[in-house]
Amino acid sequence: MDKPIIAPSILAADFANLQQEVEMLNESDADWIHVDIMDGIFVPNISFGIPVTEAINAHAKKPLDVHLMIEKPENYVEAFHKAGAASISVHYEACPHLHRNLQQIKNLGCKAGVAINPHTNVQLLEDVIRDIDIVCLMSVNPGFGGQKFIENTYAKVRQLKKIIAGAGAHTLIEIDGGVNQQNAKQLLDAGADILVAGSFVFKSSDPKDTITNLKNV
Ligand code: DX5
Ligand code: ZN
């Protein structure tokens, strides 16, 4: 089995020492840097926005994987692309014109992702799956780091994998929320390609080591 893509979530980093945290990720086995944007409307929390993303990008040697937990993402996609995003995920639940949103992201040259909340059925993505580079399966309710992993995610990964294979698509499956050393293996066995981990990485005593362990789970 291929090794997973590891995308530590900068949301759990020490914001007063962002440069150091990004440099730690540069030196680690992390593949991408997951950047969580929250608007206080789509989700009940506010994280940070475009200038902080630019500041992260100024030091990052790894691609920025931007997760937009915001309403009307189409108004901000271009700004996040300019701020350094390599991939941009919008929420299914925030996009009545999802196909258009995906084309907008791709036209900028970014990988196009769709994030879905725990209650959203993966089947809803079937008609657009060939246009999606990454499906970000939320394994917690978006808005906060450090929450408990929702077990139903395994079944969703398996179901999504079938949809992707059935369509002959190359979509990657990303898992976001509550990922740790205990559930990582089972997620990969179910078909996950990308693991996002916030607290588990940054709150550990040796984040670099934790990243290496996740990569080799
Ligand atoms: C949740 C965010 C996640 C979060 C993951 O709203 O989308 O990316 O940072 O954090 P942990 O790994 O702590 O659940
Ligand atoms: Zn996220």
Side-chain angles (χ1 to χ4, degrees), residues 9 34-36 67 69 136 138 176 196:
S9 167
H34 188 81
V35 178
D36 285 309
H67 177 194
M69 287 164 273
C136 178
M138 293 309 302
D176 189 7
V196 174

